[in-house]
Amino acid sequence: LGESAEFESVRQQHSLLAPSNVGWGRRDFEALPLSVVGGRPLSSGGASLERHARMYSSLWGVRGAEESAAVIAKHVRAAPPGAATVMLAHNGPSGLGSARDDICGKDWGGGGGGDWGDEDLRLALSDVTGVL
């Protein structure tokens, strides 16, 4: 992780969770065989990548949806051959609808609605599957 003191509490949390953290990473469970690939850490959906751009750049060196998608896709491709791969992310990918009752639609707050999925996750999944 980067050196910015501004995000020290995030750095501490990451250090505590490091052995089990899969955010922008992968854990392989060879006995199953299973790989768990993590989406963007600390995502809160919607435009959170842009809202927290300084934190992602400072701590992880990732600067935008395309870079994030490339990191996620790299870990999917590096999973051991024959292993089932599971994506673990706080949100689903963008592009699955914007109505309150859509899978990643905003269903809270006044008015509701809006696609609250992660664009970087959509790009990564599209890259490795050709879907979305």
Side-chain angles (χ1 to χ4, degrees):
L1 289 179
E3 297 301 319
S4 175
E6 181 179 5
F7 306 109
E8 185 57 31
S9 62
V10 174
R11 187 182 343 282
Q12 289 174 359
Q13 178 186 22
H14 188 272
S15 294
L16 289 170
L17 298 173
S20 59
N21 184 24
V22 294
W24 277 328
R26 187 187 81 250
R27 284 199 64 197
D28 299 321
F29 300 89
E30 294 174 14
L32 295 178
L34 173 74
S35 288
V36 178
V37 175
R40 176 170 26 106
L42 306 172
S43 172
S44 56
S48 64
L49 183 59
E50 292 79 20
R51 281 194 311 272
H52 304 298
R54 286 184 43 240
M55 176 185 69
Y56 290 122
S57 175
S58 176
L59 296 179
W60 284 279
V62 173
R63 293 169 179 83
E66 290 79 17
E67 280 188 42
S68 176
V71 171
I72 296 166
K74 173 188 76 171
H75 287 291
V76 170
R77 286 190 179 95
T85 302
V86 173
M87 284 294 312
L88 179 64
H90 181 79
N91 301 298
S94 63
L96 299 179
S98 60
R100 289 177 65 90
D101 58 349
D102 287 333
I103 189 71
C104 292
K106 183 181 176 198
D107 61 354
W108 64 94
D115 187 338
W116 216 249
D118 287 340
E119 177 67 7
D120 52 340
L121 187 56
R122 184 193 67 78
L123 292 169
L125 290 173
S126 178
D127 183 24
V128 298
T129 67
V131 178
L132 295 175

